[in-house]
């Protein structure tokens, strides 16, 4: 790692590959800014408490607070004014996560899609708060009993995140450059143009570039 870098992360790449990516201050600020806007758009507000059940190395977790990412001036929750507690994103730790969920009673739960089922099993019939589901697929996720549900499509390989619903995907257009290649949207982060364009799973007809 050189003097420019804030952190080196392991990311999920297409076809199940994993690779390491060096993120400097500009990339970290860009990711945190995108996540902040998407969280605000999903209803996260100052003073709220967020519980995160996801891998600690995921970009959506790292970008939440400066405490998680060396070189990040302010994470998404730092800027919003919400507090965050992060737990390891392993399905074997669902019982511990359920314990802390009941103890902390968070306003928002941010959870990786595949961890929903084991956590729901441990929570039983407990009513859930507002839920943000991080998913590698731009398909809305239903969470029975939650007060509200938002799906955050994450594409780590492109440093990209978007809110998805049945008919469109929303992301901040000033932070990402997009183009249609065939039927799908290709994305390049304006804050990391050296990455080039990366294909997403978002259909061109479903994208909604937004000033959120």
């Amino acid at each position: 790692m050189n003097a420019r870098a804030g952190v080196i992360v392991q990311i999920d790449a297409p076809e199940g590959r994993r690779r390491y990516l060096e993120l400097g201050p500009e990339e970290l600020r860009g990711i945190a800014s995108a996540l902040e806007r998407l969280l605000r758009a999903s209803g996260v507000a100052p003073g709220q408490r967020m519980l995160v059940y996801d891998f600690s190395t995921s970009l959506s977790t790292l970008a939440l607070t400066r405490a998680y990412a060396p070189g990040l001036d302010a994470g998404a929750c730092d800027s919003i004014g919400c507090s965050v507690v992060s737990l390891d994103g392993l399905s074997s730790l669902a019982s511990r996560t359920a314990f802390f969920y009941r103890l902390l009673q968070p306003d928002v739960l941010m959870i990786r899609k595949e961890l929903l089922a084991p956590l729901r099993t441990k929570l039983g019939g407990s009513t859930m708060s507002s839920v943000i589901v991080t998913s590698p697929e731009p398909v809305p996720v239903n969470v029975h009993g939650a007060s509200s549900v938002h799906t955050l499509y994450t594409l780590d390989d492109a440093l990209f995140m978007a809110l998805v619903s049945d008919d469109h995907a929303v992301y901040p257009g000033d932070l990402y450059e997009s183009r249609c290649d065939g039927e799908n949207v290709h994305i390049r982060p304006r804050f990391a143009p050296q990455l080039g364009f990366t294909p997403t799973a978002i259909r061109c007809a479903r994208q909604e570039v937004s000033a959120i």
Side-chain angles (χ1 to χ4, degrees):
M1 184 183 300
N2 58 38
R4 169 189 169 276
V7 65
I8 293 179
V9 297
Q10 177 180 285
I11 65 169
D12 294 326
E15 300 176 356
R17 296 181 292 109
R18 293 180 181 271
R19 68 185 181 94
Y20 291 95
L21 188 64
E22 180 183 49
L23 301 177
E26 290 186 7
E27 290 90 347
L28 290 169
R29 280 194 296 269
I31 298 165
S33 179
L35 182 58
E36 176 197 348
R37 297 193 211 175
L38 293 167
L39 291 181
R40 288 184 187 274
S42 66
V44 178
Q48 289 189 326
R49 175 184 293 156
M50 177 185 293
L51 180 65
V52 180
Y53 186 26
D54 199 346
F55 297 128
S56 60
T57 55
S58 71
L59 293 183
S60 56
T61 299
L62 284 171
L64 284 171
T65 171
R66 66 174 69 89
Y68 296 161
L72 179 60
D73 297 329
C77 279
D78 299 324
S79 299
I80 294 172
C82 56
S83 61
V84 56
V85 176
S86 180
L87 301 176
D88 292 333
L90 300 174
S91 59
S92 59
L93 298 177
S95 292
R96 188 183 71 164
T97 302
F99 169 79
F100 279 104
Y101 187 89
R102 294 189 180 100
L103 177 68
L104 298 174
Q105 298 184 5
D107 301 290
V108 182
L109 170 68
M110 189 159 80
I111 182 171
R112 197 175 181 91
K113 180 182 177 181
E114 61 264 31
L115 297 173
L116 272 170
L119 181 60
R120 290 293 301 181
T121 298
K122 298 301 180 182
L123 285 174
S126 300
T127 300
M128 300 185 77
S129 58
S130 175
V131 178
I132 299 173
V133 181
T134 61
S135 172
E137 302 172 344
V139 179
V141 178
N142 180 47
V143 181
H144 180 71
S147 59
S148 68
V149 183
H150 294 84
T151 303
L152 185 68
Y153 170 52
T154 59
L155 184 62
D156 286 356
D157 210 34
L159 310 183
F160 177 68
M161 289 174 273
L163 286 174
V164 297
S165 64
D166 290 331
D167 57 356
H168 64 270
V170 178
Y171 57 91
D174 60 323
L175 294 179
Y176 297 100
E177 183 180 359
S178 65
R179 70 185 186 193
C180 283
D181 191 344
E183 296 184 345
N184 285 17
V185 176
H186 288 222
I187 288 290
R188 179 171 66 181
R190 299 181 190 274
F191 50 85
Q194 73 276 12
L195 291 182
F197 281 91
T198 302
T200 75
I202 300 173
R203 296 290 187 180
C204 292
R206 294 183 65 237
Q207 72 166 328
E208 180 179 322
V209 180
S210 173
I212 58 173

